[in-house]
Amino acid sequence: MTEERSAVVVRDIRKSYGELKAVDGVSFTVAEGEFFGILGPNGAGKTTTLEIVEGLREPDSGEVVLLGESPWPRNVKLLPRIGVQLQATSFFDKLTAKEQLQTFGALYGVSAGTAADMLELVGLADKANEQENKLSGGQRQRLSIACALVHDPDIVFLDEPTAALDPQARRNLWDVLRAIKERGKTIVYTTHYLDEAEILCDRVAIMDKGRVLALDRPAVLVRGLDAPTHVTLQKGLLSAVDASALDGVDEAHEDEVSLTLSTRRPAPVLSALAERGALDGLQVRTATLEDVFLDLTGREYRA
Amino acid sequence: MTAFKTLSVAMLKGFVRDKATLFFTFLFPLMFLIIFGLLLRDAGEDRTKIALVGDGSVVSALRESGALEFESYDDENAAVRKVQDGDLPAALIVRGQRIDLRFAQSDQVRSATVVGIVNGFVDRANLAATGQPPTFTFTAEKVEDATLKPIQYLTPGILSWGVAVSAVFGSALTLVSWRRKQVLRRIRLAPISTTSVLSSRILVSAGVALVQGVTFIGVASLPVFGLRLSGAWWLAIPLLLLGTIAFFALGMLVGAFAKTEEAASAAANIVVLPMAFLSGTFFPVDQAPAWLQAVSKAFPLRHMNDGMLDVLVRGKGIEALAVPAAVLVGFSLVVGFLASRVFKWEE
Ligand SMILES: Nc1ncnc2c1ncn2[C@@H]1O[C@H](COP(=O)(O)OP(=O)(O)O)[C@@H](O)[C@H]1O
Ligand SMILES: [Mg+2]
């Protein structure tokens, strides 16, 4: 990835609030068309980082190049090319979903008709005439994203778009995010759901206490852990002793309902199990980004 | 231009859909206008009413002049009894060419007035009957003096106050709500100038002020209240607009300091209420003690109110706008500058 093709280049940015180092030397680049995730628990410095990149905050030091320009101080040339959803859903008072879009569109000189079309993309066409405060949490988030996209920006910044949503609403939102990526937009988004980032993002930066701990494709990070895969079976199909004798099994462990095998070579283990017809209740759990976090920080991940 | 229009429409919709705001903008001031208007309706009523029996050319002339009011009786005794009971100061009894006036001796001042008026009309009728041109000509013309009927000072006062309240609250609450909900930061990320956003909101406030003007003056002009506008009433329009801008700026200043809508509301009340009382909203300020009048000169609302009185009911012309306009513009500039200094985009 060369820097000319980078949508975002961040070099060693820092920002302190008094004693607190909210962002403490963060660097990363985001390629054009990439879906980039900034992950970490609450207070990690995700919002501060994102807002420095957007040009809403001035870093104490460091440099940001956004689409080839400096976002700070307020760079009017850049603004039409970036779309932003802030962590708080910001809407005008007492307007319907359609009117919100048209009003935000007006800020960018977008026609009312074009603005209203965005409702389709986020699946809110049937809520067009509903007032914003009557929408559900997920619908509000989707409307907020539509408002960030209304002027067809090249890059979109979304701050915790899936926070505080129920699982179904989160999945609906994932579809929206994927649809945006398909339109060729660069997406930079923050989340404290590591599992979600693993599914959605091309690359992630895992943050904690103002620093980036790891930065890569989720799969690469997980593989880099060299953590065992856990294969779980219904209890009684195989004894723990027999299981630990199978080729590739490092360890077998039995509780009241299931038998769990740890392996670093799941392929021979699974075929051996298949040969014995012992696949009932099979579950395969590989390491996740949460394990990566545990490995990096030495503590359990808690959003 | 379309951005400006869309924004203005959006803000107007937001305004119209907020029931509480509508109440405080229109109904609340109207309640004051109606209650005070009805309570004080008969105060300042200074035409004397007398009993009348019979009719004729002298009576018609008296009626036309409006100098006296009449309560008609068929029977001379009934009319005289009214005078004896002290209900009416005099009874006028007309039988063909003969005109009798019976008056109460207790209330000499009013009786003398009535006698003088009736005598004057009888003399004139006599002179006209001789067909001679009068030796001396006499014409009388009304002078609108400083004392006004209650509705005449209530309407301009309540209108100025209503516009001030709506502009201060409108700008302060919008500002605080936008800052709290991060709409301000969101606007900052759009390629639009602050001036466009600000002016579209002021436009809404200005439109609201004009509607307030039409509504309040309309209600006050109903026969029950009987407001009478004077010649250059339309000069109230520029005054309404200047007042809106001045109080909008004041709201921006209040909103810059307040963290929550509740705090903004309380602060706006603390600023506007005392100013309203001291600026002649509910009583004519020229009846207040001199020191109070001097204090009230410090308030922009006092000057807006003075201007409103002058152009709406005192029949003054554009020259009456000079001082109020200068004060309001000066106030807008100073307060607007201060507000821009302390303005914050985020909490
Ligand atoms: N304006 C501010 N003033 C003081 N402290 C702040 C401010 N903004 C953020 N912080 C602090 O900086 C740290 C990082 O915050 P933030 O970037 O919002 O984290 P995240 O988005 O990952 O939850 C937190 O400890 C937060 O309390
Ligand atoms: Mg955050």
Side-chain angles (χ1 to χ4, degrees), chain A residues 42 46-47 87 159-160 190:
Chain A
N42 276 329
K46 305 183 294 293
T47 299
Q87 185 158 6
D159 199 355
E160 305 241 13
T190 73

Side-chain angles (χ1 to χ4, degrees), chain B residues 178-222:
Chain B
W178 282 10
R179 188 170 52 232
R180 233 170 37 79
K181 293 163 81 182
Q182 305 218 9
V183 173
L184 280 184
R185 304 178 80 207
R186 191 61 185 71
I187 288 173
R188 199 181 184 196
L189 283 168
I192 191 166
S193 70
T194 329
T195 323
S196 305
V197 181
L198 203 59
S199 45
S200 64
R201 185 62 188 79
I202 293 180
L203 183 70
V204 171
S205 279
V208 168
L210 293 180
V211 177
Q212 283 179 306
V214 170
T215 317
F216 299 172
I217 291 175
V219 170
S221 301
L222 294 175

